[in-house]
Amino acid sequence: RLGFVVCQRRHDYEVNLVEALAVLEPLLARVRDRIPPGARIVPLAECDLEAVAGLHEQYLGGNRRVLWPLLTGAAPNSYDPQRSSILQLNGQVVAATLVRLLPDGTAEVDAKVLHPAVRRRWANVWLMHEAIRRGLARGTRVIRYFTLDAHEDTRRLSARFGGTLTGCSVRMG
């Protein structure tokens, strides 16, 4: 009655990494021949943090004053420098999955950003696969993340992973 409408929905998921990797393996095999020779995935610890911050700001928004301490490890709950994966194409940062480790051993994807030039192609599958592989190699078995209304493809993939929807919230405006 006051004129508020739903502006955005947030869907929170929890996924078992072993199950997710089993789903991603054949998907990655189908797109592996499309990955350009100049593409590589490195941990956050080995990349240009300025470029990651710039990609995040340009395509996800945010504030560098808040983002920078998370990237450098200077803030509480900073991004894990080994579990976070950065996709470089010909030396340029084009995608990132920024992960933090929670006290209970669960990993949380705080941000995933892809440059439009690599979105909805091989990059998303490869980046997810690598983030999961890195997490499993470091003993992480469960990951939490959220999607927004616009990320229908991620919600479909979450269902294929056997992901559990743990919550849904609505932002009104």
Side-chain angles (χ1 to χ4, degrees), residues 57-133:
E57 285 178 317
Q58 185 171 5
Y59 296 105
L60 290 181
N63 178 315
R64 191 170 295 241
R65 185 177 46 76
V66 173
L67 184 60
W68 192 253
L70 294 170
L71 290 170
T72 62
N77 295 320
S78 294
Y79 300 132
D80 187 289
Q82 296 300 322
R83 285 179 178 84
S84 297
S85 299
I86 310 302
L87 172 61
Q88 298 173 335
L89 184 57
N90 300 321
Q92 301 295 310
V93 171
V94 294
T97 300
L98 301 174
V99 177
R100 62 172 48 102
L101 189 62
L102 302 176
D104 67 359
T106 300
E108 176 182 65
V109 176
D110 185 63
K112 187 166 107 179
V113 56
L114 288 89
H115 186 280
V118 297
R119 205 174 289 154
R120 296 193 183 271
R121 296 175 44 211
W122 52 269
N124 193 28
V125 171
W126 192 29
L127 194 60
M128 283 191 289
H129 181 275
E130 187 62 16
I132 290 169
R133 191 192 65 73

Side-chain angles (χ1 to χ4, degrees), residues 33-44:
D33 63 335
R34 294 183 224 155
I35 298 173
R40 59 179 250 184
I41 295 178
V42 298
L44 180 64

